[in-house]
Amino acid sequence: MFAKCTYIRGTLEQLARKQTPRKQKHISQSGEMVENTLLATPDDWLKLVQPIADTIRDGERYVFFDGRVFPANHGPIKFDGLYRSHDLPDLPHLSESLMEETLANPDYWDVS
């Protein structure tokens, strides 16, 4: 996912109240629709967003990748994400071949 940082009116606290609770729906292994609450309160949302807000700059583009936010710039990337460790020559979002090898490849994400 890409995002462009832009100034909005109001405070992070006001935005947090609008953004929570945050829910996610997905289909379980058994085929049932499951709904999880990811961020239940404004404080939960702020705890997650404040570190991001402190590092992004107005007008810049960013990539969201496995629980982290990176400037959308070419170059090697190495980090431990939510789902696995990554050591790649570039952000997959910026390379069609890496996109196929990583983001769109279930084998890449299977770390069992």
Side-chain angles (χ1 to χ4, degrees):
M1 173 190 310
F2 287 93
K4 182 177 180 181
C5 179
T6 187
Y7 175 80
I8 61 170
R9 292 178 193 217
T11 66
L12 276 179
E13 290 80 10
Q14 291 168 329
L15 189 57
R17 284 194 293 277
K18 292 179 183 178
Q19 297 296 318
T20 53
R22 176 73 69 169
K23 298 182 183 288
Q24 176 183 25
K25 293 181 181 179
H26 65 279
I27 298 174
S28 70
Q29 295 270 0
S30 64
E32 296 177 51
M33 181 65 73
V34 177
E35 182 176 274
N36 295 330
T37 300
L38 301 176
L39 301 166
T41 69
D43 283 341
D44 294 338
W45 191 89
L46 283 169
K47 212 179 296 183
L48 179 72
V49 171
Q50 188 66 56
I52 297 169
D54 291 342
T55 62
I56 60 177
R57 301 290 168 248
D58 192 28
E60 296 294 317
R61 288 181 61 216
Y62 295 90
V63 169
F64 292 80
F65 181 31
D66 198 9
R68 301 272 301 269
V69 177
F70 299 97
N73 301 325
H74 288 283
I77 192 80
K78 185 176 182 176
F79 71 101
D80 291 328
L82 294 174
Y83 297 99
R84 67 163 294 152
S85 294
H86 306 275
D87 188 358
L88 300 166
D90 204 353
L91 284 166
H93 308 65
L94 305 177
S95 163
E96 192 171 324
S97 63
L98 278 176
M99 178 84 71
E100 293 297 319
E101 294 171 20
T102 58
L103 299 182
N105 182 352
D107 292 336
Y108 178 81
W109 297 97
D110 183 16
V111 292
S112 52

